[in-house]
């Protein structure tokens, strides 16, 4: 256990190198990880000089990538997701003022009083709402919380589909869990706490995939048949041995004003389910759906039917992807990723918005990316779609060519080479 000053000294003299290596070394090397940890600790001491708590630590909340199951979770289907080697890193220590004070580098500092954890409508869509919501749920579970101070830095790409909000929730949950819950909350419980904060306090009706992907670590298969009790299974596979790099490519397109596009997917899938007297497509046998396609085309429209086709195909694909990874069959996995991408483009139709038909950055990036891959690897839309990012698994020998080609099309720094991180949200050093 370190005070913050002792933590800084340990980082500077190499006393934390083993812990840093375990989490960060593959993402730029130990020296880079150490410099980042020293920076966040020095910044904490500068921002909170009055904090002399005997227990300080470094905490991490990683981003996540969706691998399989595009828009299947809200229909109670299967997904495959994974944590990545980009994260929010915070130096934190308890304080004596019963307030959570957080300074995230590049953003205004925030403060949340623990004696008032009610929902604040004016905080909707803010980081303060996420902090208050996570604290409220943990307090509701019976834990006695006190305040803490934290300084945080992030390299989770904004608008990348890597879910920076879930990373933030998992970061806060891990800090509270370590300081005030004696580590009693497990990664799945922390994910549910994060989802609660985002749904109820932040005001975003998200599923649980983002938080699970950030909290659990590695590649995980999730069955949302019962969203209140999702079934989780690790898809253990060492991606570093695959001969491929994971690339997330920012197409430079914006997610603003796409709420209607996202809502239409859920509405249309649910309309097909309603034809059978059900709430979501998971409750409708695929054979019944396929037999009713001629009628559904008239009652729900062709796009709704195509999107339902995508649900059944991609729900099955997510399960098969996890099986391929567990079997060590990366070639089969890549074929399934490509099939998922084709289904998203042709059936789900979430690669561009009908409100702006001249703006088709994702289809353009997919087209050029597929040419660069030349029949190898895999490529697909990433996340919710319509704008934002694509995902590619690129053979190592083609990585430089792929990155150069993507950035020639989209601009410097738009192709990000990542790794699947085995650790989810965690205490890095304590």
């Amino acid at each position: 256990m370190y005070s913050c000053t002792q933590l800084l000294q340990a980082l500077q003299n190499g006393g934390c190198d083993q812990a840093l290596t375990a989490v960060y070394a593959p993402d730029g090397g130990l020296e880079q990880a150490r410099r980042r940890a020293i920076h966040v600790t020095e910044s904490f001491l500068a921002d909170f000089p009055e904090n002399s708590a005997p227990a300080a630590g470094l905490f991490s909340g990683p981003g996540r990538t969706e691998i399989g199951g595009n828009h299947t979770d809200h229909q109670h289907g299967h997904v495959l997701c994974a944590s990545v080697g980009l994260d929010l890193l915070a130096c934190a220590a308890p304080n004596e003022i019963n307030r959570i004070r957080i300074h995230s580098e590049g953003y205004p500092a925030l403060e949340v009083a623990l004696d008032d954890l009610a929902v604040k409508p004016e905080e909707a869509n803010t980081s303060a709402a996420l902090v208050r919501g996570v604290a409220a749920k943990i307090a509701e579970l019976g834990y006695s919380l006190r305040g803490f101070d934290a300084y945080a830095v992030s390299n989770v790409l904004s608008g990348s589909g890597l879910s920076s909000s879930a990373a933030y929730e998992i970061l806060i949950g891990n800090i509270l869990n370590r300081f005030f819950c004696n580590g009693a909350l497990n990664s799945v419980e922390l994910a549910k706490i994060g989802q609660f904060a985002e749904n109820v306090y932040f005001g975003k009706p998200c599923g649980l995939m983002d938080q699970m992907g950030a909290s659990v670590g590695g590649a995980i298969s999730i069955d949302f048949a019962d969203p209140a009790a999702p079934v989780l299974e690790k898809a253990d596979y060492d991606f570093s041995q695959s001969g491929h790099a994971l690339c997330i490519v920012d197409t430079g397109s914006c997610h603003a004003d796409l709420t209607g596009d996202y809502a239409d997917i859920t509405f249309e899938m649910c309309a097909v389910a309603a034809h059978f007297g059900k709430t979501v497509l998971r409750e409708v046998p695929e054979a019944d759906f396929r037999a009713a396609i001629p009628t559904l085309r008239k009652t729900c429209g062709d796009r709704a039917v195509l999107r339902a086709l995508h649900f059944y195909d991609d729900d099955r694909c997510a399960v098969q992807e996890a099986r391929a990874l567990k079997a060590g069959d990366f070639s089969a996995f890549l074929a399934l990723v490509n099939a998922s991408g084709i289904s998203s483009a042709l059936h789900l139709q979430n690669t561009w918005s009908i409100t702006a038909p001249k703006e088709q950055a994702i289809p353009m990036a997919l087209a050029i990316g597929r040419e660069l891959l030349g029949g190898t690897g895999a490529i697909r839309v990433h996340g919710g779609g319509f704008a934002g990012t694509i995902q590619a698994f690129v053979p190592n020998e083609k990585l430089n060519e792929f990155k150069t080609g993507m950035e020639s099309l989209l601009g410097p720094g738009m192709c990000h080479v990542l790794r699947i991180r085995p650790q989810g949200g965690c205490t890095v050093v304590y």
Side-chain angles (χ1 to χ4, degrees), residues 243-247 373 377-378 392-400 402:
H244 290 70
L246 168 64
C247 292
L373 288 172
F393 289 92
V394 182
N396 291 337
E397 63 272 16
K398 291 191 174 184
L399 181 57
N400 288 338
F402 182 86

Side-chain angles (χ1 to χ4, degrees), residues 33-330:
R34 189 191 297 121
R35 285 196 302 271
R36 187 169 179 244
I38 288 172
H39 167 72
V40 78
T41 307
E42 289 177 334
S43 299
F44 177 96
L45 287 166
D47 272 25
F48 305 104
E50 73 284 4
N51 189 310
S52 58
L58 294 176
F59 301 86
S60 170
R64 71 97 187 102
T65 183
E66 172 207 282
I67 300 173
N70 195 212
H71 283 279
T72 55
D73 56 339
H74 54 72
Q75 296 300 301
H76 299 189
H78 297 82
V79 301
L80 179 66
C81 59
S83 53
V84 298
L86 299 179
D87 74 338
L88 282 104
L89 174 68
C91 178
N95 60 38
E96 301 298 328
I97 60 173
N98 206 40
R99 291 172 177 268
I100 295 175
R101 301 186 299 183
I102 301 174
H103 183 184
S104 296
E105 191 163 280
Y107 297 91
L110 66 83
E111 189 169 304
V112 170
L114 292 174
D115 56 3
D116 181 9
L117 293 178
V119 175
K120 307 291 182 186
E122 66 274 15
E123 286 183 350
N125 298 301
T126 69
S127 297
L130 298 177
V131 174
R132 196 182 302 275
V134 170
K137 190 62 177 179
I138 293 177
E140 182 185 303
L141 293 173
Y143 295 97
S144 179
L145 301 184
R146 301 187 300 282
F148 70 82
D149 298 325
Y151 188 95
V153 296
S154 176
N155 56 17
V156 181
L157 313 167
S158 178
S160 63
L162 298 176
S163 196
S164 57
S165 59
Y168 191 80
E169 295 149 16
I170 298 307
L171 175 73
I172 302 305
N174 272 274
I175 294 172
L176 291 170
N177 189 33
R178 170 61 65 182
F179 288 150
F180 310 121
C181 308
N182 199 30
L185 297 169
N186 64 38
S187 59
V188 174
E189 291 168 326
L190 288 170
K192 292 179 180 179
I193 289 166
Q195 182 199 24
F196 168 84
E198 191 149 348
N199 290 174
V200 178
Y201 281 72
F202 189 81
K204 180 182 176 182
C206 66
L208 191 56
M209 178 182 70
D210 292 350
Q211 290 77 15
M212 285 285 209
S215 188
V216 176
I220 55 171
S221 176
I222 310 172
D223 183 350
F224 287 109
D226 179 0
V231 177
L232 177 77
E233 185 176 359
K234 295 277 282 187
D236 287 325
Y237 179 79
D238 185 355
F239 282 84
S240 68
Q241 302 301 309
S242 69
H244 290 70
L246 168 64
C247 292
I248 300 296
V249 182
D250 184 351
T251 67
S253 49
C254 179
H255 282 91
D257 301 322
L258 293 174
T259 302
D261 290 295
Y262 298 130
D264 282 347
I265 291 177
T266 304
F267 175 81
E268 291 176 11
M269 287 186 178
C270 289
V272 172
H275 174 86
F276 300 92
K278 303 297 183 181
T279 305
V280 294
L281 288 173
R282 180 65 180 271
E283 300 171 343
V284 180
E286 183 177 0
D288 292 356
F289 158 73
R290 288 186 173 275
I293 284 177
T295 301
L296 289 168
R297 292 185 62 196
K298 298 174 184 176
T299 59
C300 299
D302 283 342
R303 190 173 72 170
V305 175
L306 285 167
R307 285 174 164 172
L309 276 171
H310 167 81
F311 167 77
Y312 290 107
D313 286 345
D314 219 37
D315 184 60
R316 184 165 42 247
C317 192
V319 174
Q320 292 170 343
E321 285 173 348
R323 288 175 182 165
L325 289 177
K326 286 187 286 186
D329 191 344
F330 201 73

Side-chain angles (χ1 to χ4, degrees), residues 368-405:
I368 300 302
R370 192 167 286 109
E371 289 182 357
L372 290 167
L373 288 172
T376 66
I379 193 166
R380 67 191 287 271
V381 66
H382 183 242
F386 298 107
T389 57
I390 65 170
Q391 175 192 78
F393 289 92
V394 182
N396 291 337
E397 63 272 16
K398 291 191 174 184
L399 181 57
N400 288 338
E401 178 187 357
F402 182 86
K403 190 174 189 298
T404 299

Side-chain angles (χ1 to χ4, degrees), residues 417-429:
V417 182
L418 308 181
R419 72 175 176 108
I420 303 299
R421 170 173 141 169
Q423 304 89 353
C426 64
T427 300
V428 181
V429 176

